Amino acid sequence: MSKAPIAIIGTGIAGLSAARTLHDAGQAVHLFDKSRGSGGRMASKRSDAGSLDLGAQYFTARDRRFAETVRQWQAGGWVEQWTPTLFQSRDGQLSPSADEQLRWVGTPTMSAITRGLLGEMPVTFSCRITEVFRGEQYWTLADATGASHGPFSHVVIALPAPQAAALLSG
């Protein structure tokens, strides 16, 4: 087991899944996200109108391993089945859809899933990482304010490709 923690940049479902797997295997992790909370494309925001899901509306679980994970999330109260009334349009006419795909939503919002995965793992929010560099033995991160974070034994970058490319361009 590494003495220095593993840095994970991004607290969307990918970053948090990696963090949870590493944490559960006994590795120390520290997460970073530019936003004020977890979620990435499953983020939820509060407004005067109530809570709003800004990204994914729902998700499906076609892979049996992921379906088992979703059942665990359901048992934990993080998700529930979503049963919308669906229609299809053909020749300008609407008719009920025969689509029987099981759909899931976070409860009470989509970010419940990422908040559940985050648990008590250490995280720094509102911190946009702008540089990742390796010293002789460890990695260091620099953020947009010029602050340094580290040392880290490894770095996991769990960001959308354009953001990851910009971060790694140097």
Side-chain angles (χ1 to χ4, degrees), residues 146-164:
S148 290
H149 306 272
F152 297 104
S153 62
H154 298 82
V155 178
V156 175
I157 298 174
L159 302 171
Q163 292 176 34

Side-chain angles (χ1 to χ4, degrees), residues 28-70:
V29 299
H30 190 102
L31 293 118
F32 295 88
D33 202 286
K34 66 180 181 178
S35 297
R36 293 183 309 187
S38 65
R41 293 183 177 163
M42 295 178 91
S44 303
K45 303 289 184 205
R46 290 186 200 105
S47 77
D48 293 339
S51 291
L52 305 169
D53 288 325
L54 300 180
Q57 184 175 29
Y58 66 88
F59 66 94
T60 60
R62 294 180 178 102
D63 179 88
R64 70 172 172 73
R65 294 165 297 184
F66 184 53
E68 177 54 37
T69 297
V70 172

Side-chain angles (χ1 to χ4, degrees), residues 11-13 16-17 20 38-39 42 44 56 58-59 66 69-70 73-74 77-80 104-119:
T11 61
I13 192 91
L16 286 166
S17 294
R20 179 56 48 200
S38 65
M42 295 178 91
S44 303
Y58 66 88
F59 66 94
F66 184 53
T69 297
V70 172
W73 294 349
Q74 183 182 30
W78 303 353
V79 299
E80 60 187 26
W104 297 91
V105 293
T107 182
T109 61
M110 289 299 273
S111 62
I113 299 163
T114 59
R115 284 192 316 273
L117 286 170
L118 179 60

Side-chain angles (χ1 to χ4, degrees), residues 70-113:
V70 172
R71 282 190 281 282
Q72 292 170 7
W73 294 349
Q74 183 182 30
W78 303 353
V79 299
E80 60 187 26
Q81 289 183 25
W82 184 47
T83 54
T85 303
L86 301 175
F87 292 88
Q88 61 185 8
S89 175
R90 181 170 287 148
D91 299 324
Q93 298 294 315
L94 287 178
S95 59
S97 173
D99 182 348
E100 295 181 1
Q101 176 67 50
L102 187 59
R103 291 167 174 79
W104 297 91
V105 293
T107 182
T109 61
M110 289 299 273
S111 62
I113 299 163

